[in-house]
Amino acid sequence: MAKSIVIVAGSFHKDLVGKMVDEARKTASENNLIVEEVSWVPGSMEVPLQLKRLLIRESIEGAVVLGIIEKGDTGHGLVMGQAVTKGIIDLQLASMKPIGYGIIGPGAKDKQIESRLVPYARKAVLAVSEMLSN
């Protein structure tokens, strides 16, 4: 039986993350997962809050997060990336629902991003699929 998931995507790089969302939808369909909703948030920092809002739904069995935290001129992205990742892990453990992590970075440089879009999205969905089958 198909399992329902949600995708939470950071819109700061919406054109690029949109490619990730397309791949995530395709991979979900190929793996008997129903994408119940795609929720766009301003950036990666807002992902944990939206995840929490969605994971409390009984119909949602897992989630995928997608986004990009690029390399900036300061350490802000690294600090933010660590905080966001910890928030996502904490939500996964509290909800007991798998969350596939498809956020590129922190510290991604422009030339590194394009080649990672599809693989990161695909691997995030496959991780959720595997965890839901265990």
Side-chain angles (χ1 to χ4, degrees):
M1 186 163 158
K3 310 259 182 167
S4 288
I5 66 168
V6 292
I7 297 171
V8 178
S11 65
F12 192 75
H13 300 279
K14 194 166 187 174
D15 55 333
L16 296 171
V17 178
K19 293 177 185 178
M20 297 177 83
V21 170
D22 291 344
E23 180 62 28
R25 282 182 176 278
K26 178 177 158 238
T27 304
S29 178
E30 294 168 353
N31 288 276
N32 203 30
L33 298 172
I34 297 167
V35 177
E36 191 169 303
E37 182 175 334
V38 174
S39 182
W40 288 92
V41 296
S44 295
M45 191 61 115
E46 292 77 25
V47 167
L49 174 58
Q50 189 62 11
L51 263 177
K52 186 171 185 175
R53 290 173 174 168
L54 295 168
L55 289 173
I56 60 175
R57 293 184 192 168
E58 283 188 37
S59 63
I60 302 302
E61 298 174 77
V64 171
V65 298
L66 303 172
I68 300 167
I69 302 174
E70 64 192 338
K71 180 166 178 54
D73 294 332
T74 68
H76 171 75
L78 181 59
V79 171
M80 185 178 68
Q82 291 171 342
V84 168
T85 301
K86 182 180 183 332
I88 292 168
I89 292 169
D90 289 349
L91 284 170
Q92 182 171 239
L93 294 173
S95 69
M96 294 301 291
K97 296 178 181 183
I99 302 169
Y101 190 86
I103 297 176
I104 298 171
K109 297 176 183 172
D110 286 342
K111 64 183 178 188
Q112 299 169 318
I113 293 171
E114 190 75 37
S115 66
R116 287 172 167 76
L117 297 173
V118 168
Y120 272 56
R122 184 165 183 75
K123 288 176 184 176
V125 174
L126 292 175
V128 170
S129 178
E130 185 174 335
M131 290 302 293
L132 287 172
S133 67
N134 286 340

